[in-house]
Each structure stands twice: as structure tokens, then as C-alpha cells.
Amino acid sequence: MGLNIKPLADRVLIEPVEAETKTASGIIIPDNAKEKPQKGKVVAVGAGTKKNPITVKVGETVLYGKYAGTELKLEGKDYLIMRESDVLAII
Amino acid sequence: MGLNIKPLADRVLIEPVEAETKTASGIIIPDNAKEKPQKGKVVAVGAGTKKNPITVKVGETVLYGKYAGTELKLEGKDYLIMRESDVLAII
Amino acid sequence: MGLNIKPLADRVLIEPVEAETKTASGIIIPDNAKEKPQKGKVVAVGAGTKKNPITVKVGETVLYGKYAGTELKLEGKDYLIMRESDVLAII
Amino acid sequence: MGLNIKPLADRVLIEPVEAETKTASGIIIPDNAKEKPQKGKVVAVGAGTKKNPITVKVGETVLYGKYAGTELKLEGKDYLIMRESDVLAII
Amino acid sequence: MGLNIKPLADRVLIEPVEAETKTASGIIIPDNAKEKPQKGKVVAVGAGTKKNPITVKVGETVLYGKYAGTELKLEGKDYLIMRESDVLAII
Amino acid sequence: MGLNIKPLADRVLIEPVEAETKTASGIIIPDNAKEKPQKGKVVAVGAGTKKNPITVKVGETVLYGKYAGTELKLEGKDYLIMRESDVLAII
Amino acid sequence: MGLNIKPLADRVLIEPVEAETKTASGIIIPDNAKEKPQKGKVVAVGAGTKKNPITVKVGETVLYGKYAGTELKLEGKDYLIMRESDVLAII
């Protein structure tokens, strides 16, 4: 990924993955839950802060809350930028 | 449990247990309380943080508030991911 | 008390005591106060946290706010689980 | 005072003193102020916490906000239990 | 001042000074500002806390916000008790 | 400036400067922005606190939010007293 | 940039860049997102604080939330002043 962007502090940049009915690893994101977590791929991470060091790595797939982050478009694709504390889990 | 998921920070992944009228250990979850705690099994835990280390262990059965956590589906089963501070007790 | 439950962190498990007009030790819980404290017996305590160590002991009788804690039923009896900071006094 | 009660943490137990038009020491509590402080006698104090050590002593007379604390009845008398931070002054 | 009162923690006791059109030192408190500071004389101070040490001294004249503090009457005179953080300036 | 006033803690006293269409240094304060910063001259500063040391100096011209501070009148002139954290920049 | 302005504490001064449909580096800021990040150039930075040191540098291009900061006009041009924590990323 040659994206020319550096998230600030404890933020991470995520490329959302379209929800499928069944993924290769067998994980299904529910379709009618009140607040469904979303799945995405980490494409850039900030330097972290003393209080909030970054623990996810570029390339990892993560789950995050439906309303987490701010949308932005880079080279024609949609991304989300959010604080790592909005990331729920690595899958 | 071969689940391929790692909760972040002080989060735990819980597999809810259906409320029974009387469990083997004799514990009954009330049916009409205003905010009934729910019962579930810990299936994955985060690494914890300096401020909030993880104390529950995978395999333990826990009680948690009715509205705690975010629902997600893994390999066809429903789970909840929540911060350990939303877990009330180990039973 | 052979209850198989361990409150998490700074939580305590309390068995409520029915309010009497006059207790053996002469303490009366008022009946018409706007927010009456309730009386109960500590039956289990958490391990405490560095910031909030547990100071009440199993067996002690305590007063707590009327709306404190979460109700749960163990072996047919009603209990309350709450943070120790919701306990007002030991009597 | 042989009261069998131990306030928890940074709480103090106060026996309210009826507002008089003029006290022995000449202090008058105003009658029509929007939020009049109340006067009472400290009858029991908690152990304090590291962050909030107890500084008032049993026997001292204090002023506190009109809506401070929780009412309770001990051996037929009315008391208030409150955090020491709700106590305004020693008189 | 022989007042028998000791403010608690970081509180100060202030004797309000009637607003004049022009004071001896030439200071005028505006009459129609939306939230006019008030002027008063410090008559007693608390011991301070580690986090909020007391810096004003008894006898100093201070400005404070219009709605700061709690009113009380001592030996027939009106006073205000407030946290030192509600004091704006010494004049 | 012989003003006899000492702001408390991390507060600063500011003499507002009338907004001009173009200042000597070429700085123009916008006229129709939703929340225009205002310009003023620092005439007195507090001693600062450990957490919030004072960094502006008497004589410096600063920008501050439109609704920052409390108005007061000293020797016939209008001033504002505010926490230094309400000051946006030195110009 | 010979601008005569020094942001205070952890604030940065940003010169907004007009959103284009496609920038030289291929980055497109979405046009209909609910809360679009904006792009701008850092023209001045504060000294930072112990808790919030400044990490962006003058000359860098940054993304920030649509409603971040306070508008001001310097030598006829529009700028924004905001805390560095409102800056999302360096691009």
C-alpha cells in the first residue's frame, strides 16, 4: 500500500471490507443486530501516545463499531480514520 | 475453542449462555428484574492495559449487565464483546 | 456461605435484610425518607483494584443507597451486586 | 456516643442541629437564602481514602449544603451520611 | 475578626462588599454586565488540599463570580463560602 | 499600567482592543464569522499553577474566543479576566 | 510565511486548502460524507504542553474535522486555529 497518509497520535486508517454472508475464515457479521461491528483492514497507523500506544499492525483485519471513525476518500477508495480505542478486536 | 479472534485492550469475548430456570450449580437468573444480569462463557480475552489488566480467564462463566457489549456472530454463533469492567462476577 | 460466586474488581455481593421497624441493635431504617438507605449482609467481595481496594468483609452488615447495584438470584435467594463505593456504612 | 456505625471511605455521619434564630456562639443560619447551609454535629467518621483523607473530628459542629447526604435513622434519631467534601466548614 | 468558623479544604469565607459607583482605589464594578464579578473581603480560609492549596490571605479583597459560593449568616452579617477556584482576582 | 489587581491561579487580565477593518500589522479580525476571536492586550497575569503555568506576558497582544472570560471595569475601562487556556494565540 | 502569530499551548494554525475533485497526489476529499474531513496546510504551531506535545510541523498538509477550530483572518486570508488533537492525519 503506497498510501501517502500518516494518522496522528493514536489513530488508525482502515479500509472497510464489504460484509459477506460468510467469509473464508467462516466469520459472519450479523445483519440485523442493533449496533453491528464492521470489518476492515488496517492500512496505516499513528505513532501512538504515551497513554495510548498503538497495538494493531498494518495488514491486520479488525472489527469496529458501526459509527466509529471519520470517512475519507484516498485515490478513489473509501477509508475510515478512528482512534485505536474504537477498534474492538483483531480477527 | 479454535476461534480466530483477539479482543483489543481490556475487552473480553463472551459466548452467552441461555438462561435456564435452574442451573446445575443451582444458580437462577431472575426473569423479571428491571435490569437482569446475563450469564456467559469467556471465550477470548484481550491483552489488558496497564490501567485495566484482564483478570477473567478463558473458560470461566461470568455474569454481565443486560445491555453490556456489542453483538457479533462468529462461525454461526452469537457472541458479545465487552470491556472487562462490564463483567460483574465469575460464577 | 457456600455460594459459588466471585464479584469482579471492587464489587461486593450483598444479601438484603428486610427492613424492620426496630432491629436488635436498635437501628431503624426510616420508612418515608426520599432516598432511604437499605441494609444488607456482605456475602462475597471482589479482589479490589489498586485504586479501589475492598475494605468491607464477608459477614458485615452494611447500609447502601436504595437504587444501588444490580439484582440477581442465587440458589433461590435475592442478592445485589454493587461497587463498594455504593456502600455507605458498616453497622 | 455509643452508635454502632462506621461510615465507609471519606463519609461522615452527622446529627443535624435544629436551626435556631440565634445560637449560643451567635451564629445565625439564614432563613430565606436560596440554598441555606445546615448545621450539624459529627458523630462518626470513615477511615478516609488516600485521595480524600478525613479532616473533621467526632464532636465538631459543621455546616453543610441543604441537599447534602442521605438521611437515616439510628436508635430513633435522624442522621445524615455524606462525603466530607460536602461539608463546608467547621464552626 | 473573631469569627469562630474554619472553612474546609480549599474553601474561603468572604464578606461581600457593597458595590459602589467608584471605590477609593478607583475600581468600579460594572452595573449592567451579563455576569458581573462581585467584590468581597476574605475573612477565613481553609487549610487547602495538596491539589488545591490556598493562596489568598485573610484581609485581602477579592473579585468572584456573581453566582459563586453558598450564603450564610454569622453574628448577624452575610457571608459567602466558596472554593478558592471561584475567586477570580485579588484587588 | 499601575492597575492594582492580581489575577488568581492561571487567569489573565485582558484589555480588549477595538476590532479595526485592518490593523497596523495587517491583521483583520473577520466580521461575520460564527465565532470570531477577539483581540486584546494582556495587562496582568496570575502566578500560574503547577498544571497550568502562565506563558503569556504582560504587554503581549492576544486572540481569544468571543465568549471567553468575565467582564469587569477597572478605573473606568473595560477588561476581561479569563483562564490562559481560553487564549488562542499571541499576535 | 512571515505571519506574526504564535498559537498558544497545543494549538496549530492552519491555512485551509480548497477541496478539489482530484489532488496531485490523487487524494480526493469526499463531497457528500456526513462529516467530511478538511485539508489544510500548517502555518504555525504552539510550543505544545507536557501532556500534549506538538508533533505536526509547519508546511505539512493535514486533514481535520469539518467543524474543528476557530476561524480567523490574517493579512486578508482565512485561517483556522485548533488544538492538535483535532488534526486527524498528515498527508
Side-chain angles (χ1 to χ4, degrees):
Chain A
M1 281 265 155
L3 276 180
N4 189 24
I5 182 166
K6 181 73 182 170
L8 230 70
D10 56 332
R11 289 183 181 88
V12 295
L13 183 74
I14 289 170
E15 183 186 347
V17 176
E18 288 305 311
E20 310 159 58
T21 42
K22 194 160 194 328
T23 68
S25 64
I27 292 168
I28 298 167
I29 307 298
D31 203 73
N32 53 3
K34 53 192 152 78
E35 195 190 320
K36 303 178 288 182
Q38 308 291 311
K39 197 166 62 165
K41 202 172 172 181
V42 179
V43 292
V45 300
T49 62
K50 201 180 285 191
K51 202 181 153 196
N52 297 303
I54 290 287
T55 59
V56 298
K57 292 187 190 64
V58 170
E60 289 181 331
T61 302
V62 295
L63 298 178
Y64 50 88
K66 194 175 185 177
Y67 303 108
T70 302
E71 299 172 354
L72 73 160
K73 204 171 257 211
L74 301 165
E75 308 194 5
K77 283 203 283 196
D78 290 319
Y79 293 91
L80 278 164
I81 191 160
M82 65 184 69
R83 296 185 179 275
E84 197 196 86
S85 60
D86 289 330
V87 176
L88 299 170
I90 303 167
I91 59 175
Chain B
M1 281 264 155
L3 275 181
N4 189 24
I5 181 166
K6 182 72 181 171
L8 229 69
D10 57 331
R11 288 183 181 87
V12 295
L13 184 74
I14 289 170
E15 183 186 347
V17 175
E18 288 306 311
E20 310 159 58
T21 41
K22 194 161 194 328
T23 68
S25 64
I27 292 168
I28 298 167
I29 307 299
D31 202 75
N32 54 3
K34 54 191 152 76
E35 195 189 320
K36 303 178 287 184
Q38 307 291 311
K39 197 167 62 165
K41 202 173 173 181
V42 179
V43 292
V45 299
T49 62
K50 202 180 287 192
K51 202 180 154 197
N52 297 302
I54 290 287
T55 60
V56 299
K57 292 187 190 64
V58 170
E60 289 182 331
T61 302
V62 295
L63 298 178
Y64 50 90
K66 194 177 184 176
Y67 303 108
T70 302
E71 299 172 353
L72 74 161
K73 204 170 258 211
L74 300 165
E75 308 193 4
K77 283 203 283 197
D78 290 318
Y79 294 90
L80 278 165
I81 191 160
M82 65 183 70
R83 296 186 179 275
E84 199 197 86
S85 60
D86 289 330
V87 176
L88 299 170
I90 302 167
I91 60 174
Chain C
M1 280 263 155
L3 275 181
N4 190 25
I5 181 166
K6 182 73 182 171
L8 229 69
D10 56 332
R11 289 183 179 86
V12 296
L13 184 73
I14 288 170
E15 182 185 349
V17 176
E18 288 305 312
E20 310 159 58
T21 41
K22 194 160 192 330
T23 69
S25 64
I27 293 168
I28 298 167
I29 307 298
D31 202 72
N32 54 2
K34 55 191 151 77
E35 195 190 320
K36 303 178 288 182
Q38 307 291 310
K39 197 167 62 165
K41 202 173 172 181
V42 179
V43 293
V45 299
T49 62
K50 201 179 287 191
K51 201 180 154 196
N52 298 302
I54 290 287
T55 59
V56 299
K57 292 187 189 65
V58 170
E60 288 181 331
T61 302
V62 294
L63 297 178
Y64 51 89
K66 195 177 185 175
Y67 303 108
T70 302
E71 299 172 353
L72 73 162
K73 204 171 259 210
L74 300 165
E75 308 193 5
K77 281 203 284 198
D78 290 319
Y79 294 90
L80 278 165
I81 191 160
M82 66 184 70
R83 296 186 179 275
E84 199 197 85
S85 61
D86 289 329
V87 176
L88 299 170
I90 302 166
I91 58 175
Chain D
M1 280 263 156
L3 275 180
N4 190 24
I5 181 166
K6 182 72 181 172
L8 229 69
D10 56 332
R11 290 184 179 86
V12 296
L13 185 74
I14 289 170
E15 183 186 348
V17 176
E18 288 306 312
E20 309 159 57
T21 41
K22 195 161 191 328
T23 68
S25 63
I27 292 169
I28 297 166
I29 307 298
D31 202 73
N32 53 3
K34 54 190 150 78
E35 194 188 320
K36 302 178 288 182
Q38 307 292 310
K39 197 167 62 164
K41 201 172 172 181
V42 179
V43 293
V45 299
T49 61
K50 202 179 287 191
K51 201 180 153 197
N52 297 302
I54 290 287
T55 60
V56 298
K57 293 188 189 64
V58 170
E60 289 181 330
T61 302
V62 295
L63 297 178
Y64 51 89
K66 195 176 184 176
Y67 303 109
T70 302
E71 298 172 353
L72 73 161
K73 205 171 257 210
L74 300 165
E75 307 192 7
K77 281 203 283 197
D78 290 318
Y79 294 90
L80 278 165
I81 192 161
M82 65 184 71
R83 296 186 178 276
E84 198 197 85
S85 60
D86 289 329
V87 176
L88 298 171
I90 302 165
I91 59 175
Chain E
M1 279 265 156
L3 275 180
N4 189 24
I5 181 167
K6 182 72 181 171
L8 229 69
D10 56 333
R11 289 183 180 85
V12 296
L13 185 74
I14 288 169
E15 183 186 349
V17 176
E18 288 306 311
E20 310 159 57
T21 41
K22 195 161 190 328
T23 68
S25 63
I27 293 169
I28 297 166
I29 307 298
D31 202 72
N32 53 3
K34 54 192 151 77
E35 195 189 320
K36 303 179 287 183
Q38 308 291 311
K39 198 166 62 164
K41 201 173 172 181
V42 179
V43 292
V45 298
T49 62
K50 201 179 288 191
K51 201 180 153 196
N52 298 302
I54 290 287
T55 60
V56 298
K57 293 188 190 62
V58 170
E60 289 181 330
T61 302
V62 294
L63 297 178
Y64 50 89
K66 195 176 184 176
Y67 303 109
T70 303
E71 298 172 353
L72 73 161
K73 204 170 258 211
L74 300 165
E75 306 193 9
K77 281 203 284 196
D78 291 318
Y79 294 90
L80 278 164
I81 192 161
M82 65 184 71
R83 296 186 178 275
E84 199 197 84
S85 60
D86 289 329
V87 176
L88 299 171
I90 303 165
I91 60 175
Chain F
M1 279 267 155
L3 275 181
N4 189 24
I5 181 167
K6 182 72 181 171
L8 230 69
D10 55 333
R11 288 183 181 86
V12 297
L13 184 74
I14 289 169
E15 183 185 349
V17 175
E18 287 306 310
E20 311 159 56
T21 40
K22 195 161 191 328
T23 67
S25 63
I27 292 169
I28 298 167
I29 308 297
D31 203 73
N32 54 2
K34 54 193 151 73
E35 195 189 319
K36 303 178 288 182
Q38 307 291 309
K39 198 166 62 165
K41 202 173 172 180
V42 179
V43 292
V45 299
T49 63
K50 201 180 287 190
K51 201 181 153 196
N52 298 303
I54 290 287
T55 60
V56 298
K57 292 187 189 63
V58 170
E60 289 181 329
T61 301
V62 294
L63 297 178
Y64 51 88
K66 194 176 184 177
Y67 303 109
T70 303
E71 299 172 354
L72 73 161
K73 204 171 257 210
L74 300 165
E75 307 193 7
K77 281 202 285 196
D78 290 318
Y79 294 90
L80 278 164
I81 191 161
M82 64 184 71
R83 296 186 179 274
E84 198 198 85
S85 60
D86 288 330
V87 176
L88 299 171
I90 302 166
I91 59 175
Chain G
M1 280 266 156
L3 276 180
N4 189 23
I5 181 167
K6 181 73 181 170
L8 230 69
D10 56 332
R11 288 183 181 87
V12 296
L13 184 74
I14 289 170
E15 182 186 348
V17 175
E18 287 306 310
E20 310 159 56
T21 41
K22 194 160 192 330
T23 68
S25 64
I27 292 169
I28 298 166
I29 307 298
D31 203 73
N32 53 4
K34 54 192 152 73
E35 195 189 319
K36 303 178 287 182
Q38 307 291 310
K39 197 166 62 165
K41 203 172 170 181
V42 179
V43 292
V45 300
T49 63
K50 201 180 286 190
K51 202 181 153 196
N52 298 302
I54 290 286
T55 59
V56 298
K57 292 186 189 65
V58 170
E60 290 182 329
T61 302
V62 295
L63 297 179
Y64 50 90
K66 194 175 185 177
Y67 303 109
T70 303
E71 299 173 353
L72 73 160
K73 205 171 256 213
L74 300 165
E75 307 192 6
K77 282 203 284 195
D78 290 319
Y79 294 90
L80 278 164
I81 191 160
M82 64 184 71
R83 296 187 179 274
E84 198 196 85
S85 61
D86 289 329
V87 176
L88 299 170
I90 303 167
I91 58 176

